[in-house]
């Protein structure tokens, strides 16, 4: 980890001409501004740089808009996409008067989650491993006004283009739900995914594999090796940024929207969690699935708080186009080993204690990783602290169960509205250690309701015309 002095030296060694400062808004999208290298010195890591917090989503009102970014020297890397050599730094947000960390800074919340974990004495490290899926399209158009609304996605890989005049059309388009995972030429995006993976490795992200995913039209997955919570949340921001920019320079577009296509799989983000203490894994044991009692309690916490967690792990109205009963996403709140239809799965690839973790399969990649990872950790810790029994595992194919068998299996929320209502009722576990504050929870609910739920609720969608125009 670089010190301020080392970060300044690193910039000079790499002949940086500019310094780019990145920070995350409340919904989870990177913002940035850039200064010449002449404005960058060791004192920058203490004095920071000012910006208008009222122009950032979920931040300050206009009458208290002045805020500071404080660069984190340990995050220094050379920016992979600028023409001129540019140092890139991830920043924390502070109040310019008190110099206190900003309660709505999602990165600060993640840092507090790691500190709270250590303060419990239960563990000292939470390892997170997200599997964020995404789509690489060739074109997207969308618009909405008072009298019209549409979206149009296209992909050279799209199964719907099997009859298109392409002069010539060479076929080899993945069939619906059959994109996992054919070789080229059916998989036409091998090289662009490799370019993405190599760019990630260039800035220090450990990539484990890349492959085509289930859906037609360029659904993809690139897996990062697990890392501690804050580091992985930082990496997820880089992950999204790199994928979008590599797609853009190849004249394509990438999206982490959970459900952009009708009648094919959406994009999830299966989330692996394990706790360690003094370099020893704590989730390996002799209980079900080779797990420890602590691990099962942690699963109990996840299942108990799952509906509230969805407000952060599945935080868009579009998330619930994927979380639909009877389809591909796991909405039944149960756990199992190997069974991918359960919302919590215990992977059985390896018997090594170091590989023991569980996988929460409900989340999707539209989330703010800092908030989602922190919320999941807090739910797991609550399960351990209260020794919450997850109940018996469900080792059957949940999609094949009868309504009678399913009636006692809890379900994930069916809408963002439901998830936010669950968060209103169940948030005490998040407030422990001041990790989340009531202000952050209230702002999250208010922002999502007024900026996403209500605007979507007010607009007709195209299929409603097919259903109702002739009424």
């Amino acid at each position: 980890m670089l010190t301020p002095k080392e970060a300044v030296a690193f910039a000079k060694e790499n002949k940086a001409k500019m310094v780019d400062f990145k920070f995350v808004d409340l919904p989870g999208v990177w913002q940035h501004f850039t200064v010449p290298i002449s404005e960058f010195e060791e004192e920058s890591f203490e004095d920071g740089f000012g910006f208008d917090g009222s122009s950032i989503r979920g931040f300050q009102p206009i009458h208290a808009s002045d805020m500071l970014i404080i660069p984190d020297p340990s995050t220094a890397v050379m920016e992979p996409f600028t023409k001129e050599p540019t140092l890139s730094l991830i920043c924390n947000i502070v109040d310019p008067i008190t110099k206190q960390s900003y309660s709505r800074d999602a990165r600060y919340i993640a840092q507090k989650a790691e500190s709270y974990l250590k303060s419990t004495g239960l563990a000292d490290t939470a390892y997170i491993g997200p599997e964020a899926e995404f789509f690489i399209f060739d074109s997207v158009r969308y618009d909405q006004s008072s009298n019209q609304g549409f979206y149009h996605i296209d992909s050279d890989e799209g199964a719907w283009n099997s009859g298109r005049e392409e002069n010539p059309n060479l076929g080899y388009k993945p069939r619906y739900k059959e994109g996992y995972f054919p070789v080229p030429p059916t998989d036409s995006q091998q090289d662009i995914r490799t370019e993405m993976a190599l760019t990630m490795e260039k800035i220090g992200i450990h990539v484990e594999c890349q492959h085509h995913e289930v859906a037609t039209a360029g659904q993809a997955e690139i897996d990062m090796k697990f890392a501690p919570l804050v580091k992985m949340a930082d990496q997820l921001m880089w992950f999204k940024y790199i994928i979008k920019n590599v797609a853009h320079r190849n004249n394509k577009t990438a999206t982490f929207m959970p459900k952009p296509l009708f009648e094919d799989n959406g994009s999830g983000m299966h989330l692996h969690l394990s706790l360690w203490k003094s370099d020893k894994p704590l989730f390996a044991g002799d209980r079900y699935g080779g797990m420890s009692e602590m691990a099962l309690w942690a699963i109990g916490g996840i299942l108990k708080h799952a509906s509230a967690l969805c407000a952060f792990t599945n935080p868009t109205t579009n998330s619930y186009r994927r979380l639909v009963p009877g389809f591909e996403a796991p909405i039944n709140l149960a756990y199992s080993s190997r069974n991918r239809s359960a919302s919590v799965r215990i992977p059985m690839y390896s018997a090594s204690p170091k590989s023991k973790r569980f996988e929460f399969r409900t989340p999707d990649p539209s989330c703010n990783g800092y908030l989602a990872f922190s919320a999941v950790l807090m739910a797991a810790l609550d399960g351990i602290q209260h020794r919450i029994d997850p109940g018996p595992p469900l080792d059957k194919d949940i999609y094949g169960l009868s309504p009678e068998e399913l009636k006692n299996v809890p379900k994930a929320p069916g809408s963002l509205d439901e998830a936010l209502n669950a968060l209103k009722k169940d948030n005490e576990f998040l407030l422990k250690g001041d990790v989340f504050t009531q202000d952050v929870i209230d702002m999250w609910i208010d922002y999502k309701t007024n900026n996403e739920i209500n605007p979507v609720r007010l607009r007709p969608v195209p299929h409603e015309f097919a259903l109702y125009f002739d009424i």
Side-chain angles (χ1 to χ4, degrees):
M1 294 178 63
L2 299 182
T3 64
K5 183 176 182 179
E6 290 168 337
V8 172
F10 177 77
K12 291 178 179 177
E13 289 166 13
N14 286 277
K15 297 181 173 56
K17 295 182 179 180
M18 305 293 285
V19 182
D20 192 60
F21 301 116
K22 297 178 173 71
F23 63 97
V24 67
D25 66 10
L26 192 63
V29 176
W30 252 351
Q31 311 297 310
H32 84 127
F33 62 91
T34 311
V35 302
I37 193 69
S38 59
E39 297 293 310
F40 182 63
E41 52 194 3
E42 286 183 53
E43 288 73 17
S44 301
F45 294 94
E46 185 174 341
D47 298 338
F49 295 84
F51 72 98
D52 175 9
S54 68
S55 296
I56 304 300
R57 299 185 299 173
F59 276 22
Q60 290 293 90
I62 197 165
H63 64 270
S65 60
D66 288 353
M67 300 294 288
L68 286 177
I69 57 104
I70 302 293
D72 181 343
S74 70
T75 65
V77 296
M78 292 304 293
E79 168 66 43
F81 296 108
T82 51
K83 180 179 178 181
E84 299 294 343
T86 300
L87 182 74
S88 179
L89 291 154
I90 299 175
C91 303
N92 296 316
I93 311 300
V94 303
D95 184 281
I97 298 172
T98 66
K99 294 297 178 74
Q100 295 294 307
S101 296
Y102 184 43
S103 64
R104 296 182 192 171
D105 177 8
R107 191 168 192 260
Y108 176 51
I109 292 170
Q111 290 166 337
K112 288 190 289 182
E114 285 192 327
S115 296
Y116 176 70
L117 171 65
K118 293 174 184 174
S119 76
T120 66
L122 295 170
D124 53 36
T125 307
Y127 283 113
I128 304 289
E131 299 177 9
E133 298 167 342
F134 57 97
F135 279 89
I136 304 170
F137 294 132
D138 288 283
S139 173
V140 60
R141 294 182 289 119
Y142 51 88
D143 198 8
Q144 177 78 57
S145 65
S146 61
N147 70 317
Q148 60 97 35
F150 76 94
Y151 68 89
H152 183 273
I153 293 165
D154 209 357
S155 168
D156 291 344
E157 269 201 5
W160 59 83
N161 281 325
S162 61
R164 184 174 67 177
E165 285 287 345
E166 294 182 352
N167 302 311
N169 187 328
L170 301 177
Y172 296 112
K173 302 182 190 299
R175 289 178 283 271
Y176 295 107
K177 297 184 181 294
E178 292 188 26
Y180 187 89
F181 22 57
V183 298
T186 302
D187 175 6
S188 69
Q189 297 181 347
Q190 170 73 11
D191 288 340
I192 192 171
R193 293 194 309 268
T194 292
E195 184 179 342
M196 292 167 176
L198 292 177
T199 306
M200 290 177 196
E201 291 199 324
K202 188 184 296 183
I203 64 153
I205 294 175
H206 184 146
V207 174
E208 291 189 321
C209 74
Q210 59 93 340
H211 59 82
H212 205 289
E213 257 297 340
V214 172
T216 190
Q219 191 180 34
E221 182 176 314
I222 299 174
D223 292 333
M224 297 177 281
K225 184 178 176 64
F226 64 85
L229 191 151
V230 173
K231 182 178 181 181
M232 180 51 77
D234 286 345
Q235 288 187 176
L236 183 61
M237 298 305 299
W238 271 113
F239 180 91
K240 291 181 176 182
Y241 178 75
I242 287 169
I243 284 168
K244 291 175 183 178
N245 277 279
V246 170
H248 189 264
R249 73 185 180 192
N250 283 274
N251 204 31
K252 295 181 183 291
T253 185
T255 182
F256 292 89
M257 190 174 173
K259 190 72 174 180
L261 295 183
F262 172 55
E263 290 188 322
D264 211 337
N265 281 32
S267 292
M269 188 183 75
H270 305 152
L271 194 62
H272 296 254
L273 172 68
S274 64
L275 298 183
W276 291 53
K277 187 173 184 179
S278 301
D279 295 324
K280 293 182 180 179
L282 302 179
F283 278 6
D286 58 2
R287 304 294 291 272
Y288 174 82
M291 302 293 273
S292 65
E293 191 171 46
M294 173 188 275
L296 294 179
W297 289 335
I299 291 172
I302 297 291
L303 295 177
K304 177 182 177 180
H305 298 298
S307 292
L309 289 179
C310 284
F312 292 110
T313 61
N314 304 79
T316 67
T317 59
N318 185 253
S319 298
Y320 300 87
R321 310 295 188 198
R322 170 179 168 263
L323 295 181
V324 179
F327 291 85
E328 80 272 8
I331 60 102
N332 294 290
L333 302 177
Y335 75 102
S336 176
S337 66
R338 303 182 69 181
N339 188 348
R340 293 171 187 264
S341 63
S343 60
V344 176
R345 182 178 76 100
I346 301 168
M348 302 299 288
Y349 296 123
S350 170
S352 167
K354 291 184 176 182
S355 69
K356 277 300 169 187
R357 77 267 188 200
F358 63 78
E359 174 192 35
F360 185 28
R361 294 176 61 80
T362 304
D364 69 54
S366 68
C367 69
N368 180 332
Y370 297 103
L371 300 180
F373 300 166
S374 299
V376 170
L377 173 61
M378 295 301 286
L381 288 175
D382 190 64
I384 295 167
Q385 290 163 333
H386 290 95
R387 302 190 173 195
I388 297 174
D389 184 354
L394 195 55
D395 287 332
K396 300 177 181 178
D397 177 5
I398 296 173
Y399 301 132
L401 296 180
S402 68
E404 185 67 22
E405 291 174 298
L406 270 175
K407 70 178 183 180
N408 294 321
V409 179
K411 306 289 190 294
S415 68
L416 183 56
D417 249 347
E418 286 183 37
L420 294 177
N421 284 331
L423 179 62
K424 288 179 187 177
K425 298 173 184 175
D426 178 24
N427 59 49
E428 287 186 13
F429 71 99
L430 297 170
L431 301 175
K432 292 178 183 177
D434 201 37
V435 173
F436 285 76
T437 61
Q438 193 64 51
D439 170 71
V440 166
I441 292 170
D442 291 345
M443 172 53 75
W444 185 259
I445 293 170
D446 181 73
Y447 182 90
K448 289 288 172 178
T449 300
N450 292 320
N451 293 279
E452 298 177 27
I453 290 174
N454 287 343
V456 169
R457 184 184 279 147
L458 287 167
R459 287 164 169 79
V461 299
H463 193 60
E464 288 177 313
F465 284 84
L467 291 172
Y468 307 127
F469 190 77
D470 61 348
I471 285 177

